[in-house]
Amino acid sequence: MTIIAADYEKTDMGTIQIAPEVIEVIAGLATVEVEGVAGMSGGFVNGITELLGRKNFAKGIKVNVGQREAAIDVSIVMEFGHRIPEVAGKIQQNVKLAIESMTGLSVVEVNVHIHDVQFKTAEKPVEEESAALRVK
């Protein structure tokens, strides 16, 4: 992750800087909106952050930012039953559109890394759950 140079955007009132963490959050939110994404795939630090109860919207996102361009790496967990190329393409489009429209940066690439596939688990009927909670 690199920092945007101080002369990114100059106005009459001063300069505007966008922290790389902001771009990571935008990319993360744009990614989880796509159907077929079960979740983000983060590393050890992200796991600790979630154990402490903090929601990390930048989980699984790496950003390289220049003065006018950005390159994004997205690591996800797919839902079983969805086509990987279609989901990855939608992620690329959604992330690019979100970052470009919100920041004005040009997104040169969005790399999607699939780390796992999540299978749907069969939900227990409510009757079975309530019977298991009764004391005999």
Side-chain angles (χ1 to χ4, degrees):
M1 171 170 44
T2 58
I3 298 175
I4 298 173
D7 64 344
Y8 167 68
E9 181 85 22
K10 290 188 179 191
T11 67
D12 295 338
M13 305 273 301
T15 60
I16 299 171
Q17 278 186 295
I18 302 170
E21 292 82 10
V22 172
I23 297 168
E24 289 174 352
V25 170
I26 293 168
L29 291 171
T31 299
V32 296
E33 288 177 350
V34 175
E35 186 179 345
V37 175
M40 304 301 290
S41 176
F44 178 71
V45 174
N46 288 326
I48 291 174
T49 303
E50 288 185 357
L51 286 176
L52 296 174
R54 293 187 62 207
K55 190 73 173 167
N56 186 3
F57 293 110
K59 177 181 178 181
I61 307 289
K62 291 182 184 173
V63 176
N64 290 318
V65 182
Q67 288 184 355
R68 301 279 178 215
E69 297 178 335
I72 317 297
D73 285 295
V74 179
S75 299
I76 66 162
V77 176
M78 290 274 305
E79 289 178 356
F80 181 76
H82 293 272
R83 289 182 36 92
I84 291 174
E86 288 176 9
V87 173
K90 288 177 186 176
I91 290 170
Q92 289 173 324
Q93 292 171 356
N94 213 26
V95 168
K96 180 178 171 72
L97 178 65
I99 291 173
E100 288 182 347
S101 65
M102 292 182 76
T103 66
L105 291 171
S106 174
V107 176
V108 293
E109 62 182 24
V110 178
N111 301 309
V112 180
H113 307 276
I114 292 91
H115 286 259
D116 200 0
V117 176
Q118 185 178 47
F119 298 94
K120 293 181 182 179
T121 56
E123 294 183 19
K124 295 180 182 178
V126 178
E127 297 167 6
E128 288 182 25
E129 288 180 12
S130 61
L133 295 176
R134 288 189 223 144
V135 178
K136 294 183 180 181

